[in-house]
Amino acid sequence: FVYAALADAVKHDFADVFAQKRIDDLWSQLEANLQNLVNLRPVTVLAGKSDGMLFPNHLLIQGFYASRCADILTHIEEILRT
């Protein structure tokens, strides 16, 4: 929740770095995945089957979005180090 809340402020504070390193698109992907993660608000958390349509595994979905965020942040880190 905190990363999602701070993402826009980070982009604003480091706008010159974002422009120089051309990471706006990656950051937008990160923000979208963080928002998807935050928007998961199941009434009940079910540990259903991983491919379940009726009763999905919410923890698996949450892990998917968190993993995508981590991958994007790793990629951004690699770009910033060069």
Side-chain angles (χ1 to χ4, degrees):
F1 291 107
V2 174
Y3 285 119
L6 293 177
D8 192 47
V10 169
K11 186 175 184 177
H12 177 71
D13 288 349
F14 296 99
D16 54 337
V17 175
F18 277 64
Q20 180 185 8
K21 295 292 187 170
R22 298 185 179 142
I23 58 173
D24 288 322
D25 289 338
L26 279 173
W27 197 261
S28 295
Q29 291 176 24
L30 175 68
E31 288 179 314
N33 281 290
L34 285 170
Q35 201 57 46
N36 287 334
L37 185 58
V38 168
N39 288 338
L40 289 176
R41 301 211 186 253
V43 175
T44 59
V45 176
L46 300 172
K49 294 170 60 175
S50 60
D51 61 349
M53 292 291 282
L54 187 57
F55 299 109
N57 187 324
H58 296 296
L59 298 176
L60 185 66
I61 295 168
Q62 201 173 29
F64 169 76
Y65 284 122
S67 177
R68 287 197 60 183
C69 290
D71 289 343
I72 293 169
L73 282 172
T74 300
H75 188 62
I76 288 172
E77 179 187 9
E78 290 170 1
I79 291 171
L80 292 175
R81 287 182 183 269
T82 59

